[in-house]
Amino acid sequence: MDIRHLKYFIEVTRFNSFTRAADHLFVTQPTISKMIKNLEGELGVELFDRSRKKLILTDAGRAILEQAQTIDRAFINLQTEIDNLVGLQKGHIRIGLPPIMDADHFIRILGDFHQLYGGITFQLMENGTRKIEEDIIADNLDVGIAVLPTEGDEFDHFSFMKEELRVVVPYTHRFADRKQIRLEELEEEQFILFNKDFALNDRIRESCKEAGFLPQVVSESSQWDFIGKMIASELGISILPYSVSNLLKEDVRAIKVVKPTIEWDLAIIWRKNHYLSYATREWLKFTQERLTESTSN
């Protein structure tokens, strides 16, 4: 038995057809049929019930399928490790980014890493913290940037930015000339917030609740620049990270929030006790070093 026997068996069960599995694997149907027969002979059991028109696994087939999938995943990981040992000549890193952050510095670090390791490619996916966490757990992302604390105890993290949030109002607003504002003073205001995929949404709602009210939400968005345009159009006010409020080109005012002060803590997160490719581990090390240098200067 070799790994091909198991791969062919897995593909036949996935497509529920010898013909479609053969097409997918670019082999002939007799070849794949012979492989399955050989596998049955070596194991001493029948994998499929051939008495029916539809292809159905036997009890032994179902048990062997589970083990075959485990072996196949282990073999893929082995191949990945071997490729990594070549010396970072190739690799692919999937990174989740929240569109709420000022990503310029982060992208520059990414560019510097690419200059060192030109064979490594990147896939950047914009989403809120909640979706980024879900995608890392589902193995759709390798790492991501998220707002701490994360849900549960699934992640390791490296915190790289802590900053206060600001109330952002149109320049015509009655609070526009204020230097600071108590959160309770915003009880009658209409809020424009990020949508529910963003942990910042929860942070703002919880802070308002602590101040004695629930925010009246007139609109939600996933884009900070669009929120800025809505504020300038006097649709409502918002609460944004200080660095993001500085990026707004519209004629708006950013005001310090007190009682309570609202902060956010941005971090790079990755799944705890989970395999990371060598390229991803090297990128994490490189990025942490660069972010540490920038915060210490």
Side-chain angles (χ1 to χ4, degrees):
M1 182 195 306
D2 64 33
I3 193 66
R4 284 184 305 157
H5 288 85
L6 299 180
K7 283 185 175 294
Y8 286 8
F9 173 52
I10 291 169
E11 291 303 302
V12 170
T13 60
R14 183 160 76 95
F15 288 100
N16 203 32
S17 165
F18 280 79
T19 301
R20 290 175 62 196
D23 290 341
H24 180 73
L25 294 166
F26 301 103
V27 297
T28 64
Q29 182 178 339
T31 297
I32 203 168
S33 297
K34 183 179 179 181
M35 281 285 194
I36 298 299
K37 272 291 186 185
N38 290 343
L39 182 59
E40 289 177 324
E42 288 193 44
L43 296 173
V45 294
E46 288 189 353
L47 300 175
F48 298 99
D49 183 355
R50 291 174 172 81
S51 66
R52 308 184 191 184
K53 291 183 178 180
K54 186 178 180 181
L55 201 60
I56 296 176
L57 284 169
T58 62
D59 289 346
R62 286 193 294 271
I64 291 167
L65 175 62
E66 183 177 346
Q67 297 303 317
Q69 290 170 332
T70 300
I71 293 169
D72 186 53
R73 285 193 296 269
F75 188 78
I76 291 171
N77 286 342
L78 175 61
Q79 289 181 312
T80 303
E81 285 286 356
I82 292 171
D83 289 340
N84 289 336
L85 292 175
V86 172
L88 294 173
Q89 296 302 308
K90 58 181 177 178
H92 186 67
I93 307 173
R94 303 163 300 171
I95 305 171
L97 296 175
I100 188 173
M101 65 177 288
D102 176 9
D104 287 354
H105 182 51
F106 180 81
I107 297 299
R108 284 195 295 271
I109 293 175
L110 206 62
D112 291 342
F113 183 84
H114 184 66
Q115 292 298 316
L116 291 175
Y117 306 107
I120 295 176
T121 58
F122 296 92
Q123 180 180 3
L124 304 180
M125 300 175 66
E126 282 195 329
N127 265 311
T129 288
R130 298 290 175 253
K131 185 64 167 63
I132 288 172
E133 291 177 8
E134 291 173 6
D135 282 345
I136 291 175
I137 291 174
D139 200 29
N140 296 321
L141 290 174
D142 300 305
V143 296
I145 293 180
V147 179
L148 297 180
T150 56
E151 289 288 327
D153 191 32
E154 297 277 353
F155 304 98
D156 285 321
H157 71 269
F158 170 74
S159 176
F160 66 90
M161 177 189 288
K162 293 182 181 180
E163 64 178 1
E164 293 182 353
L165 275 60
R166 295 285 192 268
V167 173
V168 182
V169 302
Y171 79 98
T172 55
H173 196 278
R174 59 195 174 101
F175 293 144
D177 294 329
R178 296 273 293 271
K179 299 296 183 184
Q180 62 182 34
I181 190 168
R182 298 190 308 278
L183 196 56
E184 63 187 36
E185 296 180 78
L186 303 177
E187 182 174 0
E188 302 302 321
E189 300 293 330
Q190 292 188 314
F191 283 77
I192 304 166
L193 298 181
F194 285 91
N195 65 41
K196 292 178 175 59
D197 284 338
F198 291 76
L200 191 58
N201 185 307
D202 297 337
R203 182 70 51 81
I204 292 169
R205 289 177 181 272
E206 289 167 4
S207 297
C208 290
K209 188 175 180 180
E210 288 178 20
F213 70 97
L214 294 177
Q216 303 176 45
V217 180
V218 67
S219 182
E220 293 182 344
S221 175
S222 62
Q223 301 295 326
W224 58 264
D225 53 346
F226 190 60
I227 289 177
K229 295 182 189 304
M230 286 193 284
I231 296 170
S233 298
E234 301 184 12
L235 185 62
I237 70 169
S238 190
I239 298 179
L240 300 172
Y242 177 70
S243 58
V244 172
S245 69
N246 285 337
L247 295 175
L248 297 177
K249 295 180 173 59
E250 292 72 25
D251 196 358
V252 296
R253 303 290 185 268
I255 308 166
K256 180 180 175 66
V257 186
V258 295
K259 295 183 180 179
T261 298
I262 311 175
E263 297 181 331
W264 79 338
D265 186 354
L266 274 184
I268 299 174
I269 66 170
W270 59 95
R271 194 171 179 186
K272 188 180 294 183
N273 302 321
H274 186 72
Y275 173 79
L276 290 176
S277 71
Y278 194 79
T280 302
R281 293 197 298 268
E282 186 65 22
W283 177 83
L284 278 171
K285 178 183 175 185
F286 179 89
T287 303
Q288 288 182 44
E289 289 174 352
R290 290 291 301 274
L291 288 171
T292 300
E293 289 172 3
S294 64
T295 55
S296 61
N297 290 337

